[in-house]
Amino acid sequence: MFFLKLKYFLHYYKSKALKKRCKKDYASQKKIFEQKLDHKNFSQKWFLNNFEIFTFFLPKDKSLKFDYLEVGCYEGLSSFYVLSEYKSVNAFFLDIWDMPNSNSKTLSHNFGLIEKAFDQNLSGFDFKKMKNDSVISMRKLLKENVHFDFIYIDGSHNGEDILSDAIEAFKILKVNGLMFFDDFLQHDDNRILQSYVGIDKFLSLYSDYLKIEYFQNNLVVRKK
């Protein structure tokens, strides 16, 4: 991980300053959103760690219609945020809500309860739910010529899975679209391939076709 940070030091350094600024600029907006969660069913609120930088890269015009894909939804906290803030968003939410492949670490075994919480938390909103393997689903979207302005990848954190998700997602990302990766600068001794290894491979493969917009524990790239 040290060598990866060194490799992308300039991006890492600039992003650290942006992260600090966003913490201040979006503090009040975060508090308002947190109040909306009082009557929702969220056992985990990991997304709040990314709230400020995630908000920074989303459209500033809340009335804007844009195409959004989320890979890895869990109980739907980030999904709820996008739907509640952007009334005209065309949103697709993709999760397997089941045991992942043998190379991936599972967050829970109560997938039925997690999916039920997702459905309850997003009740009343208009969106498209896709319950299937991420690679299979994104290849289906490509075949149907469906493309996105913003893709949030927060599924399996196994390096192999991140690389395959990134490759398939990049195919359906529009030119000038943004792809946001969660928690990739982490080390887990139980993983054969670390998250950041998969990300490094992706950045090397597609270096001519993307621009790094943000590089901290999250990664944001823009398609050229």
Side-chain angles (χ1 to χ4, degrees), residues 2 34 51 96 102-103 162 184 196 206:
F2 170 78
E34 288 177 311
F51 179 89
I96 195 169
S102 58
N103 292 329
I162 287 182
F184 83 97
Y196 51 84
Y206 290 88

Side-chain angles (χ1 to χ4, degrees), residues 207-218:
S207 60
D208 292 337
Y209 308 102
L210 60 78
K211 176 185 177 185
I212 297 175
E213 297 284 358
Y214 183 81
F215 191 106
Q216 280 281 297
N217 194 43
N218 305 118

Side-chain angles (χ1 to χ4, degrees), residues 148-211:
F148 299 91
D149 301 289
F150 194 108
I151 300 177
Y152 180 34
I153 298 182
D154 189 21
S156 168
H157 285 40
N158 176 59
E160 180 184 357
D161 293 333
I162 287 182
L163 177 58
S164 58
D165 280 347
I167 289 173
E168 298 305 326
F170 201 73
K171 295 175 185 177
I172 53 176
L173 184 66
K174 297 178 185 179
V175 173
N176 207 40
L178 293 172
M179 195 148 66
F180 190 112
F181 296 87
D182 183 43
D183 295 337
F184 83 97
L185 283 181
Q186 295 182 346
H187 185 88
D188 188 334
D189 290 334
N190 295 318
R191 290 184 189 135
I192 297 176
L193 199 64
Q194 298 299 323
S195 305
Y196 51 84
V197 175
I199 288 292
D200 188 31
K201 293 292 184 184
F202 170 70
L203 292 177
S204 297
L205 285 169
Y206 290 88
S207 60
D208 292 337
Y209 308 102
L210 60 78
K211 176 185 177 185

Side-chain angles (χ1 to χ4, degrees), residues 123-145:
S123 177
F125 289 105
D126 183 25
F127 61 92
K128 299 171 184 66
K129 176 184 174 184
M130 304 179 72
K131 183 179 179 180
N132 205 341
D133 175 84
S134 56
V135 169
I136 292 172
S137 297
M138 286 190 281
R139 286 179 176 174
K140 183 174 185 291
L141 289 169
L142 178 63
K143 188 175 181 180
E144 295 172 352
N145 199 31

Side-chain angles (χ1 to χ4, degrees), residues 96-99 108-120 129 131:
I96 195 169
W97 286 292
D98 201 346
M99 287 295 293
S108 171
H109 293 280
N110 297 316
F111 298 105
L113 292 177
I114 293 168
E115 184 180 6
K116 184 178 179 181
F118 173 87
D119 293 336
Q120 291 174 343
K129 176 184 174 184
K131 183 179 179 180

